[in-house]
Amino acid sequence: MDWWSDNSWVGWLGLAAALGVVEMFSLDLIFMMLAVGALTGAVAGAFDLPLALQLLAASAASLATLTLLRPRLITRLHGGPELTLGHDRLLGTQGQVTMRISATDVGRVRLAGEEWTAAPYDTMTTIEPGETVEVLQIRGATAYVHPVPRLEA
């Protein structure tokens, strides 16, 4: 018996390892899917199947993982929560008024531990210090706020 025909699984295993190394440099998950196919070929070779069946099994496994598994993995890896950066992260948050806010007087409000210049979102509203407000808009360095309604007991 020929050594290669008896130990074809070793060649498939070497190919899978080489494809795994190439995947580490590309990070596209294409070579990893081909490596899965090569591992399938190694399993077929370990069962002493003919080379044609080993190739067929490796090709089928590679094609299946490329078409069925890879798109789901890519979607999962590239998806995730949207990050809000800058002052947009303050939209919808609540804060405390530290200096009276009215249409004619720009006041101050404490938001997320920082002091911000604040103006009323509704120009007919006056907000006194100590009231809780919600940030509806930020323009430049000024937060436009609206008082949070309180339930009176």
Side-chain angles (χ1 to χ4, degrees):
M1 288 268 175
D2 179 44
W3 185 89
W4 180 252
S5 63
D6 290 338
N7 298 302
S8 61
W9 64 273
V10 175
W12 286 110
L13 206 55
L15 179 62
L19 289 168
V21 169
V22 172
E23 176 61 37
M24 284 192 257
F25 291 104
S26 73
L27 299 176
D28 281 336
L29 294 180
I30 292 174
F31 292 103
M32 186 56 67
M33 302 300 125
L34 296 176
V36 169
L39 287 175
T40 305
V43 170
F47 285 114
D48 290 328
L49 294 177
L51 183 60
L53 286 178
Q54 292 175 30
L55 287 170
L56 185 63
S59 299
S62 295
L63 185 63
T65 55
L66 279 170
T67 58
L68 301 175
L69 183 61
R70 184 178 177 271
R72 291 182 185 180
L73 287 175
I74 292 294
T75 302
R76 189 158 186 139
L77 287 173
H78 290 268
E82 290 295 320
L83 296 177
T84 53
L85 302 173
H87 62 266
D88 286 340
R89 67 182 164 76
L90 295 174
L91 294 178
T93 61
Q94 294 184 359
Q96 293 288 107
V97 176
T98 58
M99 196 167 98
R100 186 173 190 259
I101 303 170
S102 69
T104 56
D105 298 323
V106 175
R108 307 279 295 165
V109 65
R110 180 168 286 285
L111 298 169
E114 299 176 346
E115 283 283 328
W116 278 75
T117 304
Y121 188 75
D122 179 12
T123 57
M124 303 303 289
T125 306
T126 299
I127 309 168
E128 297 298 327
E131 286 196 51
T132 303
V133 292
E134 181 178 356
V135 179
L136 299 179
Q137 185 179 28
I138 294 183
R139 281 188 248 148
T142 303
Y144 288 84
V145 297
H146 190 72
V148 174
R150 273 192 256 172
L151 295 174
E152 300 297 326

